């Protein structure tokens, strides 16, 4: 004779399986839900639609090989390295 000890959790689980036999059989939800999720997404407003559209375009942009080889950020500019500003044609009231 085998003595099987069933924990209270397993007993409750067995009761639920008898009561709801289809519970937990399909991972990912029902057929209806899967079909709805396969369709194009719904957008809250035109802003959400345009942002999603822009993301798709950004992913599809080709990158050129020459830009990848270009190194940037080697030199940190100082005020002396920057070109002089052109003087304004209109005199400032604060400069008087």
């Amino acid at each position: 004779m085998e003595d099987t000890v069933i924990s209270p959790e397993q007993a409750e689980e067995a009761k639920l399986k008898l009561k709801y036999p289809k519970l937990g059989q399909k991972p990912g939800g029902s057929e209806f839900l899967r079909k709805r999720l396969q369709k194009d997404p719904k957008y809250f407003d035109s802003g959400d639609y345009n942002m999603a559209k822009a993301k798709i375009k950004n992913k599809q942009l080709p990158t050129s090989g020459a830009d990848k080889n270009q190194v940037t950020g080697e030199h940190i500019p100082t005020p002396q390295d920057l070109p002089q500003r052109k003087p304004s044609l209109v005199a400032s009231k604060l400069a008087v």
Side-chain angles (χ1 to χ4, degrees), residues 52-95:
K53 193 173 170 184
K55 282 184 185 178
I56 292 172
K57 284 185 179 180
N58 287 342
K59 288 181 183 178
Q60 294 176 351
L61 289 176
T63 57
S64 62
D67 292 340
K68 290 181 183 178
N69 296 333
Q70 189 177 28
V71 178
T72 59
E74 287 183 2
H75 175 69
I76 299 174
T78 60
Q80 292 81 18
D81 296 340
L82 298 176
Q84 292 293 322
R85 289 181 58 182
K86 295 179 182 175
S88 176
L89 296 176
V90 179
S92 172
K93 294 179 182 177
L94 299 176

Side-chain angles (χ1 to χ4, degrees), residues 25-34 37:
Q25 286 183 352
K26 294 181 182 179
S30 65
E31 286 289 323
F32 174 74
L33 180 61
R34 276 192 253 143
L37 291 175

Side-chain angles (χ1 to χ4, degrees), residues 12-45:
E12 288 294 320
E13 196 173 309
K15 285 181 190 176
L16 286 173
K17 284 184 180 180
L18 287 173
K19 194 172 184 180
Y20 305 104
K22 294 184 179 181
L23 183 68
Q25 286 183 352
K26 294 181 182 179
S30 65
E31 286 289 323
F32 174 74
L33 180 61
R34 276 192 253 143
K35 285 181 182 178
R36 292 288 293 207
L37 291 175
Q38 296 255 336
K39 292 182 180 179
D40 291 333
K42 302 280 183 187
Y43 299 103
F44 181 72
D45 59 5

